[in-house]
Amino acid sequence: MAQDKLYRFVFENAQVRGELVQLDESFEAIIANHNYPQPIQRLLGQLMAATSLLTATVKFEGEITVQLQGDGPVSLAVINGTHQQVLRGVARYQGEVPDGTLAEMVGKGYLVITISPKDGERYQGVVGLEGDNLAQVLEGYFANSEQLPTRLWLFAEGQKAAGMMLQVLPAAEDEESQFEHLTTLTDTIKAEELFELGAEDVLHRLFHQEEVRLFEPQPVSFKCTCSRERCESALISLGQDEVEKLVAEHDGALDMDCEYCRKQYRFDSVDVAGIFAGASQGPGCTQ
């Protein structure tokens, strides 16, 4: 059953909100055409679920990027998402990737969260990788940056990924005991339940003694923003002499690969001549 939906819910008798995301086809699309080892697939799935959950907590129009970077076997794992829950992502690694803690995979590094609103200033938060897994690192981010008690549960296996988040509402007071009670209930969730059960069934299984209001879901999808036009813009920025030199060095044709979806764009000498002829005629364009 393809799911790919984000659900928001609130507790009627507690100042706590929650989110639940289930990813299937969108996660499969992110790892397709990449021969990622299983540990990286799981990490990207968890990162994708986390990015979807984080995007839903920010009231803005724009993009959010959540990335792990370090000096370990996995040097970079990044997911980019929009307020419309359109996600894409990629990982870079070298050598054998251990199936262990986050520190064993990424090494000494950071979690970087960048929020780029359509209108307004760009914001970036950086935290160290304090914790054995991604959920613990993100919980530390919320504790330090947002000062909101937050818990996350992230899972990925095969071609499925899922996650849940509980968070005390801003300006809520004296919610510690209620929040602890709800997180204790959520700690019993199993990965296979989030993968296979519908959202209503999951919430009933966890919180059947609570009053929970579930809102209409928001679809989650994968979409890469690469295009031939973007590649042409990149070539124009290099300059005609440099591009012609590259084409000659690559047997008359230059191949540009999208790191996210692996789509390939080819430019030969005729293409290059046409690109720079058009650029020279465009308003405000220079070679």
Side-chain angles (χ1 to χ4, degrees), residues 78-115:
V78 58
I79 298 289
N80 172 264
T82 73
H83 66 282
Q84 296 175 318
Q85 291 293 322
V86 178
L87 307 177
R88 63 176 184 155
V90 71
R92 297 176 190 157
Y93 68 99
Q94 287 185 336
E96 184 175 350
V97 179
D99 190 5
T101 65
L102 188 63
E104 290 171 339
M105 295 178 64
V106 183
K108 185 177 180 181
Y110 303 93
L111 171 77
V112 183
I113 298 177
T114 306
I115 299 173

Side-chain angles (χ1 to χ4, degrees), residues 106-138:
V106 183
K108 185 177 180 181
Y110 303 93
L111 171 77
V112 183
I113 298 177
T114 306
I115 299 173
S116 304
K118 183 178 179 181
D119 300 311
E121 295 184 1
R122 182 170 173 263
Y123 166 80
Q124 188 171 78
V126 182
V127 293
L129 302 183
E130 301 294 334
D132 291 335
N133 54 55
L134 178 61
Q136 292 176 0
V137 173
L138 284 165

